[in-house]
Structure formats: structure tokens, C-alpha cells
Amino acid sequence: MTVSVALPPGEARRARGFTPSLRAVIRWAWRLFRREWRQQLLVLALIIVAVTATVVGSAVATNTPAPANSGFGTAQDAATFAGNDHRLAAEITTLQHRFGQVDIIENKTLKLPGSVDTYELLAQNPNGPYGQPMLSLVSGHYPSAADQVAVTAGVASDFNLTVGKTWNVGGEARQVVGIVENPQDLLDEFALVPPGQVTSPNQVTVLFDAPGVAPSSIGEPCATCGPYGGRGSNVSTPATVAQSNSINPETLSLVVLTIGMLLIALVAVGGFTVLAQRRQRSLGMLASIGATKKNLSLVVRANGLIVGVVGAAIGTFFGLVAWFAYRPSLEQSAHHQIGVFAVPWTVIGAGIVLAIVATYLAATRPARSITKLSVMATLTGRPAPPKQIHRSALPGIVFLVIAFILLGFSGSTGAGNGNKGTPELVLGIVALVPAIILLAPFFLVGLGRFARHTPVAVRIALRDLARYRARSASALAAIALGVMIAVVIATLAQARYSDIWDPAGPNLASNQANIETGGSGPNPSAQQVASWALAAPRVGEALGAQRVAALYLVGNLQNSTGSESTNQPLTVATPQLLRVLGIRNSQIAPDADVVTSLPGFVGAAGLEYAFCEKYVLGRTNSGGPIQTRDCTKNGGLTHPVIQYLAALPTGIHAPDMLLTEHAVNELKITSTVIGSPIGWFADAAKPFTTDQIHSAQALAATAGLTIETKNEEPTSATVVNWATVFGIVMALCILVMSVGLVRSETANDLRTLAATGASSYTRRTLTAATAGALGLLGAVLGTFAAYIGVIGWLRGNSLHGGIAALGNVPVANLLVIILGLPLVAAAAGWLLAGRRPPGIARQPIE
């Protein structure tokens, strides 16, 4: 007998609907998350770390460059004029009539006595309509009278000034009434005076607002106005300045966000696969009481959503805390003030949403897999046997080719051409990621084939990675992605610093100094030169250097094959200079014409030595020597013999290229032809102290000399080494989480091995082999992908030598990554995996 019960229409619709089951399943997923949060800690930690890194990374990327309104204050337009421009008054009047109020800033560049550094004498109204964000009062008050001045902390230190002292600046005695700074550029050193108190300014800047008016349409046409000729050629906006940057902050934020979210998705796939396996019997019980496949899938997907929301919330909190703590340090390194909440909220919001979406989508794959099992299979608790899926490596290769083409196009269009290569750069980096993901399984297949030649415990671990590629491939791809980032940074940094025609890095070592003339003119008297020669050793003694050597410029080493006019100045390897540098004549080959500490010149094609007669004293603003352009009058060498000599200094303003005595004699270059020295080089046993530098500057200023000491530019080794450390640490963090997930999925197998008598050595070997193999494959795959991207970018980039820059490979750092990462991973896995499992293989029903 069948009994039928009729339900009211509303209740019947709710019973047939999905809403009650949806609420029940999500509630159950939430309870499981609360009960099993320790089991999900690795996945949760990954999401927290990735979101935290995204928040901090995007904030640093957007705030490291100078703000968009740097130099503009609150104005939208700025017109710059030379101080002696005869159109100045008329142009300012025209701007006032056309656009209303303006803010006028006058500055004059003055030289710091005894130093190559300069500072500005600035006339600006602190309460001006536009320039207020460019001034900040540290102590005292702003100058309000003609005999008052406020200075920055750097100027106060250089001149030993305090508030209340009288200082002679610009030819007038003024009382120091305050300490000021430019919040938008903390490196800006200046002395502030009231408006109109700078006579003969070098430059006048006029700030104004011209909404909706193109800069090219502002200003009167002028065909005979020198560098300011043409309509509007001296008007700029924050947008036009931003376009001159090769990579803008938004691009950096997009790259950081893209990489962070891809890392989350890659490792989360493996994590949710393990969690689904742990809950297999629980899901089987749920299916046995009537749950549909959609309900079972919803459990796993709801878990992914919950983990994503919780991880994103905690990660955002930790990211903001880390940002608040790091912001003061970033202000010092970025050299401008940064607001507490000056973070890219749009990028962070997108990162939070994408983190939740990434975890949800990462959970859909194991959710689909769990629904394909029968109820009996889920109740047994045994994982489904892996399916043999034969896939082609062609899609991964295709993505590599796409990335290669896009990065090459971005290099050719973006190099020195604004932001035109930005979309191609971002898309090229993004294309490398699916290439790594699609190629990772094939690396694991090769690893499985190699396993047959290894001991039993290692063979089990390697074959396990190859069999369960669904979760080990995602872990491998995440590790390779972290390695790729480090290798790209290290390789491009090495290429940049190895550009022999455009050197970068510190100018000198911390114990070296250039003692130069004060730019007193091209034809100093013999008496003046003799006076400098007597004063230079005393300046060197003030620095702590017992000996100094004169520097004589004798020509250029030129690149005859390049399309651009490139050259490197050479100095004479006098016996006095060699003694100061600690170099013996026996270290120089008898037939060498040039010795250098720049290995890129050795064996380079198309090099010529050209002698230049009558070099004049002094240096240009960029640091290069002032010279005549007649460099062929007395001949030269078509194929000079160049010797690498590591004992020479390596700073870009140090005597790192010397013309040998052999070449001087061969070319018959006499001291009369060489002329006067361009300066003197001092080398001390210890780094210079601040007091020594100040004493030497005072002494040099008295003698009409200047000194140049080490700047704050990092060395190539610093950048490359930190990139290597970053890559290894990131890869190890991902590796720890990945290996923890991989070994936890095989916990039942470990219990079975322990029950059959497997020793601690076997258990340690399993984990060590898993970690070491993932580390090795990740390092190889990440390095391979990085070099594809770097070669593609340099292929279309003529800057810094183009593709030839890859000849300077940071071999030691790459070996540390490729060999050191798997060794450290294996050692850590061995040390942390010796604990005996609690019992024989079993899985409780939740």
C-alpha cells in the first residue's frame, strides 16, 4: 500500500528547490572548516602570504617612483623658462591673463664648496596657490624677509648651520630661520628665500591650471628662442611626465597582482585536491543518505570559497600592518614622503576578489573529480587510480613562443619610448605562466622514467610525483614561477651593470676619491696648476690617503661598429698611479695597449683607440671629462691589445681603463702633448669617515678644488645576490607548503610502510627525495622560462647592448639556485620527516 502526502504548493516548491540543501551544505562546509582549520593551515597560509605580498608589493610598486605631481604641487601644468629668457615677463603675463593665478618658482644652482655636489637657491612662496605640497617645515619658520633663509637638513649639515646662525649665501648674509624639505623629493637640497630674492636664476618654473588645454597649444610660437623654441615646447603636465617612464607604477602593480594570484591558484589546486581526498569517506556518507553530485561538488567548492574569504581577509590585515611598518623605510629609500594610506586600493580590492575567485576555481577541479567516484569507492577511502592521460607538449611550447614574441615587441616599442610597450610586457609575462603550467607535467614524466635507476625509497617518491601529476604539477609550476622571477631580475640586472658603453653602479669605492679642479676654465695658468698639484696631496691626507696620483687623459676607446657614438676615456698608467693602485709592472703584459677592469672590452670587435690632444681640465655635469673633439690629429690604434686586470678599480668614475706605457711609447705621446692633469686619484686603506670628507672639502674649497666620493648606487652584486635570495626563499616557502600537502595525501601509505617495518631512514628519504626533486625541477624549469623571456625582451631592445648583454651571465648565482635550492630542500625534508606515523593506515569517518 502506497501512502501519498500532499504538501502545500509553497512548501512543495521549497522542497523541490535547491535553497535548503544549499544552506545545509554550506553550513556543513563551514563547520568542517572550523573543525579542520589545522589540516587546512598550509593552504590558508599560502593564501595569506600571497595576499599579504600582493598588498605590500603593489603599495611599494606604486609608491617607489616619485608621485605623479612631483614638481607640480597641486597644479596641472608647469611651464619652465631659462632665467635669461627675454620672453619671461611677457610669457608669465600671458599665462596669468589666459589661465588666472600662477605660482612662480625661481632657482639658481650653486656649487657646494670643495665638492662636486650642488644645491639650489630657491625663491618660492610657501603659501603659494600651487606649490605648497613641495615645501614642508621641519623646524623654525619660513623666511619672510630679504635677510632670512631656510635650508634643508643636508645643506645645514654641509655648512654646519643651525637655526639662528648667519650664513652668506648667493653673495648676501642671511639669517637661518628654519629647516625645510621637499616632501615629494627628499634628496632635493636647497636654500629657501622669499620670492624675488634670487638674482640671475638659472630656471624659472611657472605653475598653473589649464584644464582641457593641450600643452602643445600653450605659449606663443617662437622660431629663434633656442631650446624653448616652438609653441608650448616648455609646458608639461603630470601625464606627459608619466609617459616618459619606461614602466609606470600601474604596470608594476599589475605584474605583482598577476603573479600573486597565479601563485595562489597553482598551489591551491594541490591543496584542495588533498583536502577532498581527506574528506572522501565523509562525502561518501553524505552521498549514501541522498546527497546529489551537485551537493558533493558544492561541499568542496564552498570550502574553497570559505578558505579564500578567510585567507584574503587575514592576508589583507597582515599586508596593511606590514605596509605601515615598512612605509618609513620606503620613504628613505624612495626619497619622498608617502601617506599612511597611500596604497593602490583598486589593485588591492582586485587582489582580494581575485584571491577568492582563484581559490574557488582551484577547488572546482577536485570537486569535479570527487563526483566521478561511486558511493562505494568514496566509502572505501582509497584514492582513485590515476588515469593515464597522454597530452602534447605543443601548447606549452606555443605559449613560450607567444611570450617570446610579445616580450621582444615590448622591448622594441617600449625602450626609451614611453609606455608603449607596457601591454606587450604584461601579456608576455602572463604568457610565460601557462607555458610553465603546461610543461610541468612533462618534466615530471621524465622524472618518473629516471626513477627506475634510483634506490627503492627514492623510486617510490619520484614515481609518486609522476603518477599524481594533478597536484604535483601545480606545485612544480608554482616553484618554477618563483625561480623565474628571481632569474629574470638577476639576469637583467647583470646585463644592465655589464653594459661597457653605459656603465651603472657606484662611482667609486668607499675608500676612493677623485680630487678635481673646480671647473675654473679650459686654460689655467701654469701657476694655478702647480698650486693644485701642491694642494691635492694635502686634501688626500685629510681623507686618510697617504698618496695621491695625477690623472692624465690621453684619448678614447671607441666603438667603430656601433650606430651610436660610444666611447670610453682612457688615462695614462703612470708609475705613480700604478703605485697608488697597488699594481706592479709585471702584472701588465708586455704587448698590452690598454688594461681595464671591465672584462667586456676584452675580445670585443670594432674597438679603436683615438688620441685626443689638449684635454681641458674639469668634468661635465654628467661626470665625464671636458675634452676637445679633435681625436684623430695624432693618430691612434685600430686594433688595440686589451688586457683584463682585476686589480684596477671598478667604479664608473674611477680610473678603470689605462693606456699602458707600451702604447704611450709606441704612439710617441709626450708629456708636452698630454698637457695638465684633469685631477688626482686618492686611495686610502679604510673607508672615509664623514668628518674626513668634511675636512677635505673645506681644504679643497680653499685651494679651488673639489672632491668626489662614493655615491649611494648599489653594486651589481648587491642586486643580483638579493634577487637570488628572494628567489630561493620564495621557492622554499612554496616548496614547504607543497611537500607538506603532497606527503599528507600519502599519509596512509606512510602508515602502511611503517607497519611493514619501514625504518626512519626510509621515511626521511621519501620526503627528502620529494622535496629535492621538486626543487631541482622547479629551478631548471623556472630558469629555462626566464631565459626565454629575457632573450625575447633583449632581442628587440637596443639598450645596454641588446642580446649581446646575455654574455655576462651570473653563473655563480644561477648555480646557487639550480643546485642550492634542491640541496636545501632535500636537507630540510630529511631533518623534518623522521616522526613515526601514529598507527596503521585508516581514515575516520567524520
Side-chain angles (χ1 to χ4, degrees):
M1 178 179 178
T2 304
V3 178
S4 176
V5 178
L7 296 175
E11 293 186 13
R13 286 194 298 268
R14 286 195 295 272
R16 291 193 302 268
F18 186 65
T19 303
S21 60
L22 175 66
R23 288 199 303 266
V25 170
I26 292 178
R27 189 182 303 116
W28 187 53
W30 170 249
R31 288 176 178 174
L32 285 177
F33 171 76
R34 289 166 54 189
R35 292 177 56 191
E36 297 180 350
W37 67 270
R38 292 181 180 84
Q39 286 78 10
Q40 302 182 65
L41 188 59
L42 287 177
V43 179
L44 193 61
L46 169 70
I47 300 169
I48 292 172
V49 170
V51 174
T52 300
T54 301
V55 172
V56 177
S58 61
V60 171
T62 53
N63 285 290
T64 296
N69 64 337
S70 179
F72 293 85
T74 58
Q76 295 301 312
D77 298 83
T80 55
F81 304 92
N84 58 356
D85 191 344
H86 65 276
R87 302 179 301 155
L88 181 58
E91 286 284 357
I92 293 176
T93 302
T94 300
L95 291 174
Q96 286 177 319
H97 283 292
R98 186 175 179 184
F99 302 112
Q101 61 182 358
V102 298
D103 201 345
I104 302 173
I105 303 174
E106 301 172 307
N107 61 56
K108 182 177 183 179
T109 303
L110 300 175
K111 205 159 191 178
L112 193 67
S115 173
V116 296
D117 298 329
T118 61
Y119 67 99
E120 302 291 330
L121 182 61
L122 188 70
Q124 179 181 351
N125 181 7
N127 300 313
Y130 299 112
Q132 294 185 39
M134 301 166 62
L135 288 177
S136 177
L137 189 64
V138 178
S139 63
H141 62 85
Y142 290 117
S144 56
D147 60 345
Q148 294 179 345
V149 63
V151 298
T152 59
V155 173
S157 175
D158 290 330
F159 289 94
N160 194 25
L161 299 175
T162 58
V163 175
K165 274 193 172 183
T166 300
W167 178 40
N168 193 314
V169 55
E172 297 183 21
R174 291 182 168 94
Q175 183 183 19
V176 179
V177 296
I179 304 296
V180 293
E181 65 182 8
N182 181 355
Q184 297 180 347
D185 185 3
L186 298 179
L187 291 180
D188 192 6
E189 302 293 349
F190 59 92
L192 178 68
V193 295
Q197 297 303 310
V198 175
T199 58
S200 303
N202 300 112
Q203 178 177 290
V204 176
T205 302
V206 182
L207 304 178
F208 60 99
D209 272 346
V213 181
S216 58
S217 66
I218 302 175
E220 293 298 326
C222 178
T224 60
C225 296
Y228 299 101
R231 182 188 295 273
S233 61
N234 60 331
V235 178
S236 59
T237 67
T240 59
V241 173
Q243 290 176 359
S244 64
N245 298 328
S246 58
I247 299 180
N248 59 18
E250 288 75 15
T251 302
L252 295 177
S253 298
L254 285 174
V255 172
V256 171
L257 178 61
T258 302
I259 293 174
M261 294 308 105
L262 288 171
L263 279 174
I264 291 176
L266 285 174
V267 185
V269 168
F272 290 122
T273 301
V274 174
L275 291 175
Q277 174 61 34
R278 285 176 179 168
R279 294 178 178 173
Q280 186 171 320
R281 299 185 72 189
S282 301
L283 295 173
M285 289 296 296
L286 190 63
S288 67
I289 61 175
T292 64
K293 291 185 176 181
K294 184 179 292 186
N295 297 143
L296 299 180
S297 174
L298 181 60
V299 173
V300 182
R301 289 187 285 113
N303 182 82
L305 183 65
I306 293 170
V307 171
V309 171
V310 174
I314 299 175
T316 303
F317 172 76
F318 284 148
L320 292 176
V321 171
W323 162 247
F324 296 153
Y326 180 66
R327 183 184 60 86
S329 299
L330 182 63
E331 286 183 337
Q332 298 303 316
S333 58
H335 310 301
H336 60 84
Q337 288 186 358
I338 302 171
V340 176
F341 293 100
V343 295
W345 293 109
T346 303
V347 176
I348 292 175
I352 294 172
V353 172
L354 289 178
I356 298 172
V357 172
T359 54
Y360 178 79
L361 295 178
T364 57
R365 181 174 178 178
R368 288 195 303 267
S369 300
I370 204 70
T371 59
K372 295 178 182 179
L373 297 177
S374 65
V375 175
M376 293 302 298
T378 55
L379 287 174
T380 59
R382 298 298 299 173
K387 296 181 180 180
Q388 295 297 328
I389 301 176
H390 299 283
R391 294 177 179 172
S392 172
L394 184 59
I397 297 174
V398 169
F399 272 103
L400 277 180
V401 174
I402 292 174
F404 183 82
I405 295 173
L406 287 173
L407 290 172
F409 191 70
S410 73
S412 60
T413 59
N417 199 15
N419 294 320
K420 293 186 178 180
T422 295
E424 295 83 2
L425 178 64
V426 174
L427 292 176
I429 294 174
V430 171
L432 283 175
V433 178
I436 291 176
I437 296 173
L438 293 171
L439 291 176
F442 296 93
F443 278 71
L444 292 171
V445 171
L447 183 69
R449 293 175 180 174
F450 172 76
R452 69 184 67 175
H453 306 293
T454 60
V456 174
V458 177
R459 190 184 314 159
I460 293 174
L462 299 186
R463 286 184 174 176
D464 185 61
L465 288 175
R467 288 177 64 207
Y468 296 99
R469 295 193 295 273
R471 39 99 167 134
S472 54
S474 60
L476 174 59
I479 296 166
L481 182 58
V483 172
M484 184 192 74
I485 298 171
V487 174
V488 166
I489 296 174
T491 305
L492 290 181
Q494 185 76 6
R496 172 64 187 94
Y497 280 89
S498 301
D499 187 351
I500 57 178
W501 299 112
D502 184 19
N507 56 341
L508 298 163
S510 58
N511 63 328
Q512 297 171 348
N514 283 324
I515 304 172
E516 304 170 354
T517 67
S520 57
N523 297 305
S525 64
Q527 182 180 1
Q528 180 67 74
V529 174
S531 175
W532 287 333
L534 292 175
R538 296 197 299 269
V539 175
E541 290 179 4
L543 289 169
Q546 298 302 318
R547 291 180 298 184
V548 297
L551 300 175
Y552 298 91
L553 283 176
V554 288
N556 291 331
L557 193 64
Q558 300 176 342
N559 181 13
S560 61
T561 61
S563 58
E564 299 180 358
S565 177
T566 51
N567 59 76
Q568 284 286 354
L570 274 70
T571 56
V572 180
T574 62
Q576 183 188 19
L577 179 58
L578 292 179
R579 283 196 302 271
V580 171
L581 298 177
I583 298 174
R584 301 184 303 275
N585 286 326
S586 59
Q587 296 177 255
I588 302 176
D591 62 339
D593 298 314
V594 176
V595 291
T596 178
S597 59
L598 304 174
F601 282 105
V602 180
L607 296 181
E608 295 180 352
Y609 165 71
F611 175 77
C612 300
E613 187 178 9
K614 293 183 179 179
Y615 274 93
V616 299
L617 294 163
R619 287 182 178 266
T620 64
N621 291 334
S622 60
I626 302 172
Q627 62 188 53
T628 61
R629 299 311 301 169
D630 185 9
C631 295
T632 58
K633 182 175 181 180
N634 289 293
L637 298 172
T638 306
H639 301 289
V641 178
I642 301 177
Q643 176 190 351
Y644 172 67
L645 193 59
L648 286 175
T650 56
I652 62 175
H653 288 171
D656 54 6
M657 299 194 69
L658 305 180
L659 190 70
T660 64
E661 185 179 0
H662 165 75
V664 169
N665 294 333
E666 183 177 343
L667 295 172
K668 298 181 175 58
I669 300 176
T670 63
S671 59
T672 304
V673 176
I674 294 174
S676 305
I678 63 161
W680 291 261
F681 181 74
D683 193 347
K686 298 179 180 180
F688 305 140
T689 64
T690 303
D691 292 339
Q692 286 176 327
I693 294 175
H694 285 167
S695 299
Q697 286 176 345
L699 186 60
T702 303
L705 297 171
T706 61
I707 63 171
E708 178 188 17
T709 55
K710 184 181 182 299
N711 58 23
E712 297 181 358
E713 292 294 323
T715 63
S716 61
T718 300
V719 178
V720 173
N721 290 340
W722 275 112
T724 303
V725 171
F726 166 79
I728 291 178
V729 171
M730 174 181 283
L732 284 176
C733 290
I734 299 172
L735 191 59
V736 167
M737 299 177 186
S738 303
V739 172
L741 292 171
V742 169
R743 297 320 314 170
S744 65
E745 185 177 0
T746 58
N748 289 341
D749 298 331
L750 286 177
R751 294 188 184 99
T752 302
L753 286 174
T756 56
S759 64
S760 174
Y761 174 85
T762 302
R763 296 192 300 272
R764 290 180 185 272
T765 304
L766 282 170
T767 304
T770 302
L774 285 176
L776 178 61
L777 292 181
V780 173
L781 179 57
T783 303
F784 173 71
Y787 263 85
I788 292 295
V790 170
I791 292 173
W793 190 79
L794 290 178
R795 176 182 59 86
N797 196 323
S798 60
L799 298 177
H800 317 313
I803 196 69
L806 279 181
N808 302 285
V809 177
V811 177
N813 297 82
L814 293 183
L815 288 177
V816 168
I817 292 176
I818 296 176
L819 300 179
L821 176 60
L823 289 176
V824 173
W830 177 272
L831 294 174
L832 301 176
R835 189 175 62 179
R836 183 181 180 88
I840 198 167
R842 61 182 178 85
Q843 184 170 350
I845 298 178
E846 298 291 343

